[in-house]
Amino acid sequence: MTTQFLNPVNTQTWSNGRHVVRCTQAVQETRDVRTFCFVAEQPILFYFKPGQFVTLELEIDGEQIMRSYSISSSPSVPYSFSITVKRIPGGKVSNWLHDNLVEGFELAVHGPIGDFNAIDYPTENILMLSGGVGITPVMSMARWFFDTNANVNACFIHSARTPQDVIYSRELDHMCSRIDSFNVHIICERQEPGQPWVGYRGYLNQQMLELIAPDFMNFEVFCCGPTPYMRAIRQILGNAGFDMAHYHEESFGSTPAAVAEDVIEHAEAAAEALDQADMVSVTFADSDKYVRVPRGETVHAAAAKVGLHIPKACGMGLCGTCRVELKAGTVDMQHNGGITEEDEEVGFILACCSRPLGDVVVGY
C-alpha cells in the first residue's frame, strides 16, 4: 500500500462525483464530537477548496440516507480528508456515525462541492466566526493558511457552550503560538464547576467584536454555526454598517428537508386536474419510465412518481448529490453552487432544483 502512494502514476485526483472511501481513524475531540478520517483504497489526491463539504451515502436500518458534512481537514494534506461530527440527542445519522463508523468501515461519498470556501474570495484580511460544530469548515481554512504559510491577517473567533466543548482547542493554541498574524479568541457561554476559564464569556456581541477585531470592517467574513448564531452575526454586522458583500456563511447543515417539494411529490390528485397544456413529459431513459407532470415540478419529484429514487441530501442545489444527465430538452435550474460550469456544459443537471421547460429526457 505504501509503495502505491509513493507512485504518482497510480495516483488519481479527486473530482466531484461518487467515491468509495475507508475510515482510517476516529478521534474523540470533545465529549460529544468526533473526527473521522478517510482514505481511498486506490490512492487519490483529495484536492478541494477549504470550506467545501461532502455528502455521505449511508444505509441505516435498511433506509438509504444522504447527509452532508463540511470537510474539516486541509487540502494541504492531500491523501486523506476528515469530517467532524457532533452527536445530536435523537439524531439518527450523527448517533449512527458515532456508534458504527470505526476503522476499516467503507462507505461512499459525493463531492467535494460548495461555494463557501476561502479560495474563491481571496483576501489579505479574514475573519472566521464559528459556533459549536460550525467550526469545521473555517478550521479547514485555518489549517490551509497555516500549512501554506499564507500571507493573511487572520482572526479566528469561536463560540462554545463551555471550555470543555471547545473543538480543536490544543491545535488552535499551537497555530496561534507559531504565527503572529493568526489570532484566536474563544468565547464560552458558561463555565461549569471545576473548569478554569479566563477568556471571554457569554455571547458574541458588537462590543465584544470591536474589542477583539477593531478593524473588522475591512475583513472578509466567513461564518458557520447554528441558525440562531448566524442570524445574530448578520444582525451585528448589519448594525455596524458592514458591507455584506464581504460576508459568507455555510447554511446547508441547518436547513430542514424541503417541505415544499414533499408537498409536490404527493400532489398527484391535484396534478390530474390540470389542463394537459400545463403538463410536460419526463422520460427516464435508463429505467425506461415515463411520466407527465405539471410545469414547475422538479425532475426529482417526477422521478419519485414513477418509483425512482434519485439520491439527494440538501434539496436546494447545494450538495450536488442528485446530479443526473439531461439527454434532451431544457430545464430551469436554480441551484446554489452544487454543480460546476463544466458539468453544466456537458449536460448535467441537479434533479432537486431543475424544472422542465418542456418535454425532457433524463439519463437515470
Side-chain angles (χ1 to χ4, degrees):
M1 176 60 70
T2 302
T3 56
Q4 283 184 310
F5 280 91
L6 294 177
N7 186 351
V9 175
N10 295 330
T11 301
Q12 302 176 18
T13 300
W14 202 15
S15 60
N16 182 26
R18 185 181 188 273
H19 304 272
V20 175
V21 296
R22 173 170 49 85
C23 180
T24 59
Q25 191 178 19
V27 179
Q28 196 72 37
E29 302 284 359
T30 68
R31 53 190 168 185
D32 58 1
V33 174
R34 187 173 293 178
T35 292
F36 301 98
C37 308
F38 301 95
V39 299
E41 204 61 41
Q42 175 68 30
I44 289 179
L45 291 173
F46 290 104
Y47 290 144
F48 55 92
K49 298 176 182 180
Q52 290 189 307
F53 62 91
V54 293
T55 300
L56 307 188
E57 182 180 317
L58 306 168
E59 185 174 325
I60 302 177
D61 298 330
E63 178 186 1
Q64 186 183 44
I65 296 177
M66 314 292 286
R67 189 70 84 247
S68 298
Y69 290 98
S70 296
I71 303 172
S72 54
S73 57
S74 166
S76 53
V77 184
Y79 280 103
S80 66
F81 73 94
S82 303
I83 62 171
T84 301
V85 181
K86 178 181 178 180
R87 183 192 286 270
I88 306 296
K92 186 173 186 177
V93 176
S94 66
N95 281 276
W96 188 91
L97 291 174
H98 275 247
D99 295 336
N100 296 277
L101 192 50
V102 296
E103 182 178 340
F105 192 99
E106 291 188 347
L107 73 161
V109 298
H110 299 257
I113 206 72
D115 288 336
F116 182 78
N117 67 80
I119 302 300
D120 290 342
Y121 306 98
T123 179
E124 295 181 355
N125 300 298
I126 183 170
L127 174 60
M128 292 169 277
L129 302 172
S130 58
V133 78
I135 193 174
T136 55
V138 292
M139 189 63 181
S140 177
M141 298 178 192
R143 286 168 166 161
W144 168 256
F145 293 138
F146 181 82
D147 291 343
T148 59
N149 292 307
N151 184 26
V152 295
N153 176 31
C155 182
F156 194 106
I157 304 177
H158 178 63
S159 296
R161 290 173 298 179
T162 72
Q164 189 178 355
D165 295 306
V166 179
I167 308 170
Y168 315 126
S169 176
R170 286 182 293 180
E171 184 177 358
L172 286 169
D173 287 342
H174 171 72
M175 294 165 69
C176 185
S177 69
R178 300 282 293 183
I179 301 180
D180 292 338
S181 60
F182 183 78
N183 299 293
V184 175
H185 303 271
I186 306 297
I187 305 168
C188 289
E189 176 185 339
R190 62 183 186 275
Q191 180 180 1
E192 295 180 350
Q195 292 182 348
W197 182 249
V198 294
Y200 295 97
R201 301 184 195 181
Y203 299 96
L204 180 63
N205 54 40
Q206 185 171 341
Q207 292 74 25
M208 196 181 296
L209 179 59
E210 291 173 348
L211 179 64
I212 294 173
D215 52 349
F216 73 90
M217 297 287 282
N218 300 318
F219 280 55
E220 200 80 15
V221 177
F222 292 85
C223 176
C224 186
T227 300
Y229 173 83
M230 294 191 293
R231 185 185 304 120
I233 296 300
R234 290 195 300 269
Q235 184 174 354
I236 290 171
L237 296 176
N239 291 341
F242 183 81
D243 182 359
M244 298 304 284
H246 297 284
Y247 171 83
H248 317 280
E249 70 176 32
E250 179 63 281
S251 60
F252 73 86
S254 60
T255 304
V259 178
E261 184 171 326
D262 289 340
V263 173
I264 292 175
E265 290 179 0
H266 295 90
E268 294 186 50
E272 291 175 357
L274 292 175
D275 187 272
Q276 289 301 306
D278 293 324
M279 305 286 281
V280 296
S281 68
V282 182
T283 301
F284 298 94
D286 298 348
S287 305
D288 195 25
K289 292 190 176 183
Y290 157 91
V291 65
R292 289 187 65 80
V293 296
R295 292 181 184 274
E297 189 157 316
T298 66
V299 171
H300 191 279
K305 289 186 174 181
V306 290
L308 296 177
H309 174 69
I310 300 176
K312 71 170 183 176
C314 68
M316 300 180 298
L318 268 169
C319 67
T321 306
C322 62
R323 188 185 69 160
V324 293
E325 182 183 2
L326 180 66
K327 291 180 172 293
T330 57
V331 299
D332 175 25
M333 180 169 60
Q334 300 294 327
H335 67 88
N336 287 292
I339 190 170
T340 64
E341 292 182 359
E342 291 79 5
D343 281 349
E344 287 190 69
E345 289 175 0
V346 296
F348 286 101
I349 62 171
L350 299 182
C352 77
C353 57
S354 294
R355 293 170 169 79
L357 297 176
D359 297 345
V360 298
V361 179
V362 177
Y364 192 81

